[in-house]
Amino acid sequence: MKIKIFLFAVLAIFLASCNTNHNHEIEEPHHDEVKIQLTAYSNEFELFAEADPFTVGQSSEILSHFSHLPSFKALESGSMTIRLIVNGKETRQTLEKPTRKGIYKFELKPETSGKGQLVFDIVTEKGNFQLTVPEVEVFADDHDAIHAGEDIVVSSTNATVFTKEQSWKIDFATAHPKTEPFGQVIRTTARVESAQGDETLISAKTNGIVKLSANNILEGKPVSNGQVLFSISGSELANNNSATRFSEAQNNYEKAKADYERIAELAKDKIVSEKDLLNAKNQYENAKVIYDNLNKYFNASGQNVVGTMNGYVKQVFVRNGQYVEAGQPIVIISQNKTLLLRTEVQRKFAPILGTINSANIHTLHDNQTYSLEELNGKMVSVGRNTNSDNYLIPLSLQIDNKGTFVPGGFVELFLKTLTNAQALTIPNSALLEEQGNYFVFVQITPELFEKREVKTGATDGLKTEILQGLSQDERLVTTGAILVKLAQATGTLDAESGHNH
């Protein structure tokens, strides 16, 4: 029995020893996997590099990712010189082209320890540029370098890895929030209409039957100034026949002209009196006025309805063979270049209507947002009163149709007021909504992003005020946030995993 107890004790000690050795092997850090991460920005480039800790006399690999700004696309060509400057001593290496698209793989062997800087000299077809990483430390021995690298390892429990190779394939951007004036915003809906000088209504100038001059006088068809669109014929009418009136006016004009010319010749020989000459001249001129007026708009077959501007057919009010009367609308021609946005706001906004200085316009059909300045727009009128039928205050804005605005449709309007109040704002594209809560992805490194909830304030259609959860010195994803969210949802990438190229 004692022998069995002894054997069990020896076995337990052996297993404990094995387990201790095994755990020690697991927990023992792999020094060759420790990396330091370097990030720098200039007006032209973003740098994200992963490097071995710098040690005197030992080679350190620097895997550097370069992105153009503001597009955040990979730098595909150009020579690159890296310089490590410590205590006045410089170590450098030059690569004539990227190791891979957007990636330069350098290797440096520092000569002296201390704090210095890493300088990248970039030469591209667009010019020469420089990017500097300050506060780079070179250690005297490998042990200090490894432990210093372990102390600055970046990690986050709520982070998502989104590599530069992934971001280069999509529309992606990051930026800092902005502190800027942000006044009260009036959010409303506006109807899109053609400006008054941008369209014309053509009416019938006589009674008659409408005859189409072509089969393609349809809404939306382009027309040119002077183009014949319709004719209105009165020759089939028993009463008020325009063709008869035109023929009568033509006959009267020709007779009066002939009489005047004959009397004018006789007057030269004093055969007729001056009074008869004046009467003949008067009858001739009256007949000419009547004939010229009819001849301008009519011919023997009736009135020609012509386009009065270059544009398109907005609306047709008649059909082929329809009877119309003088003054009746025939067709509307519009240029669709200048538009009016007509809206109405509640009376509680009356005190601040005079402070409206701009607006953002959001189109519902294609989910695009334009600023008033972008569309060369302006405030045209603000109502000064209401009535018993409508207690809302009317407003009108004028814009150029540079987008895809369609008269008769509706847009969402954000009226912006002047203010001295400052607010922290971010682009609306940076916001993600989940069950009524709003989130952003804050950059920890250019390949690691933390999902963070924020409290939002007002929005002007392009930017949103952030009340809580974000500071001005933090950088966040402003374009492509939804794809970072999808990368997080798939769970295929581990935020603690190493970078492998």
Side-chain angles (χ1 to χ4, degrees):
M1 183 67 179
K2 292 181 179 180
I3 295 174
K4 291 182 178 180
I5 293 174
F6 175 77
L7 291 175
F8 278 116
V10 172
L11 181 60
I13 293 171
F14 176 78
L15 291 174
S17 175
C18 291
N19 188 54
T20 300
N21 291 335
H22 180 67
N23 290 337
H24 178 73
E25 291 174 1
I26 293 176
E27 295 174 1
E28 182 68 25
H30 298 279
H31 289 180
D32 58 342
E33 294 182 1
V34 175
K35 300 287 183 182
I36 60 173
Q37 295 173 325
L38 308 171
T39 303
Y41 291 88
S42 69
N43 293 332
E44 298 82 16
F45 294 100
E46 175 199 64
L47 162 70
F48 173 65
E50 288 187 331
D52 298 323
F54 295 107
T55 306
V56 174
Q58 294 192 21
S59 294
S60 295
E61 182 182 282
I62 305 104
L63 192 66
S64 306
H65 305 71
F66 285 89
S67 305
H68 287 285
L69 295 183
S71 67
F72 284 86
K73 297 300 182 183
L75 174 62
E76 299 186 10
S77 62
S79 67
M80 185 85 62
T81 298
I82 185 173
R83 294 183 290 135
L84 177 60
I85 306 171
V86 180
N87 297 328
K89 292 187 177 181
E90 181 179 294
T91 305
R92 67 165 57 203
Q93 181 187 5
T94 298
L95 297 178
E96 295 300 328
K97 62 180 180 179
T99 308
R100 285 212 318 274
K101 179 181 177 180
I103 299 174
Y104 290 78
K105 191 173 184 180
F106 299 100
E107 191 169 314
L108 293 179
K109 185 182 289 186
E111 298 178 0
T112 183
S113 62
K115 290 187 177 181
Q117 60 183 2
L118 206 58
V119 180
F120 294 86
D121 297 314
I122 309 167
V123 180
T124 70
E125 59 183 10
K126 294 184 178 180
N128 299 341
F129 308 94
Q130 191 174 87
L131 200 57
T132 301
V133 182
E135 299 295 325
V136 175
E137 186 168 3
V138 178
F139 296 90
D141 58 70
D142 184 65
H143 182 269
D144 291 342
I146 295 298
H147 283 286
E150 291 172 350
D151 291 340
I152 62 173
V153 169
V154 177
S155 63
S156 176
T157 56
N158 190 30
T160 301
V161 172
F162 200 75
T163 65
K164 296 307 300 179
E165 289 89 339
Q166 288 176 290
S167 67
W168 288 337
K169 295 177 182 178
I170 63 171
D171 289 332
F172 182 86
T174 64
H176 292 286
K178 291 183 179 179
T179 300
E180 58 186 351
F182 196 85
Q184 185 172 354
V185 177
I186 304 173
R187 187 172 181 175
T188 183
T189 301
R191 181 179 175 85
V192 182
E193 300 178 0
S194 295
Q196 292 183 356
D198 196 59
E199 65 180 27
T200 182
L201 172 66
I202 299 177
S203 302
K205 294 179 174 61
T206 184
N207 301 346
I209 304 298
V210 173
K211 293 184 178 180
L212 294 176
S213 60
N215 295 324
N216 59 349
I217 307 301
L218 304 172
E219 295 177 357
K221 282 288 186 179
V223 296
S224 57
N225 187 15
Q227 177 182 343
V228 178
L229 306 178
F230 303 94
S231 64
I232 300 176
S233 173
S235 58
E236 294 89 351
L237 302 177
N239 297 322
N240 199 15
N241 191 311
S242 59
T244 301
R245 291 205 320 273
F246 177 79
S247 297
E248 183 180 357
Q250 185 177 20
N251 293 336
N252 290 336
Y253 164 71
E254 291 175 351
K255 179 180 182 301
K257 181 180 179 182
D259 290 344
Y260 171 67
E261 291 175 348
R262 179 177 57 80
I263 293 177
E265 290 296 327
L266 295 175
K268 293 178 181 179
D269 298 329
K270 306 295 182 178
I271 299 176
V272 296
S273 66
E274 189 72 19
K275 180 180 178 180
D276 292 338
L277 177 63
L278 291 176
N279 287 335
K281 182 179 179 182
N282 183 58
Q283 291 178 6
Y284 162 68
E285 290 179 346
N286 289 339
K288 184 176 185 301
V289 169
I290 296 173
Y291 172 71
D292 288 344
N293 179 62
L294 291 175
N295 189 48
K296 183 177 179 181
Y297 299 105
F298 301 91
N299 53 37
S301 60
Q303 175 198 355
N304 284 332
V305 180
V306 299
T308 56
M309 65 167 62
N310 296 327
Y312 73 95
V313 177
K314 179 180 179 180
Q315 190 172 358
V316 179
F317 298 100
V318 297
R319 293 178 296 174
N320 193 28
Q322 179 178 339
Y323 172 78
V324 295
E325 296 181 350
Q328 183 174 334
I330 300 293
V331 63
I332 294 179
I333 299 176
S334 177
Q335 293 180 320
N336 201 24
K337 292 181 179 179
T338 306
L339 302 174
L340 285 180
L341 304 181
R342 296 191 183 273
T343 186
E344 296 173 323
V345 299
Q346 299 177 37
R347 287 191 294 175
K348 68 179 182 180
F349 295 117
I352 64 171
L353 293 183
T355 65
I356 296 175
N357 69 323
S358 186
N360 292 329
I361 302 104
H362 177 70
T363 53
L364 305 177
H365 62 279
D366 59 358
N367 198 32
Q368 297 294 317
T369 303
Y370 306 88
S371 67
L372 191 64
E373 295 74 18
E374 187 179 356
L375 300 175
N376 194 29
K378 61 181 178 180
M379 181 76 71
V380 177
S381 66
V382 177
R384 303 299 179 183
N385 61 285
T386 61
N387 55 61
S388 58
D389 296 329
N390 187 355
Y391 293 97
L392 300 177
I393 301 175
L395 287 88
S396 297
L397 291 84
Q398 180 177 298
I399 61 171
D400 291 343
N401 192 6
K402 296 181 180 180
T404 56
F405 297 94
V406 178
F410 291 87
V411 295
E412 195 173 17
L413 199 60
F414 299 85
L415 302 172
K416 301 162 63 177
T417 62
L418 286 170
T419 181
N420 292 324
Q422 299 287 312
L424 189 70
T425 65
I426 64 173
N428 285 0
S429 57
L431 280 174
L432 297 172
E433 182 182 2
E434 292 183 7
Q435 299 179 353
N437 297 319
Y438 289 93
F439 297 85
V440 296
F441 279 99
V442 179
Q443 176 176 301
I444 300 172
T445 74
E447 288 192 339
L448 190 63
F449 302 92
E450 178 189 41
K451 183 181 178 182
R452 187 183 301 174
E453 184 177 358
V454 293
K455 184 178 180 182
T456 61
T459 180
D460 65 2
L462 290 175
K463 297 179 180 179
T464 294
E465 179 184 10
I466 299 299
L467 304 177
Q468 185 178 337
L470 200 60
S471 63
Q472 186 177 359
D473 59 350
E474 293 181 294
R475 182 176 283 267
L476 71 154
V477 179
T478 55
T479 302
I482 186 64
L483 296 176
V484 179
K485 177 183 177 181
L486 292 176
Q488 181 192 47
T490 58
T492 55
L493 294 172
D494 180 10
E496 303 296 333
S497 64
H499 200 291
N500 186 21
H501 292 278

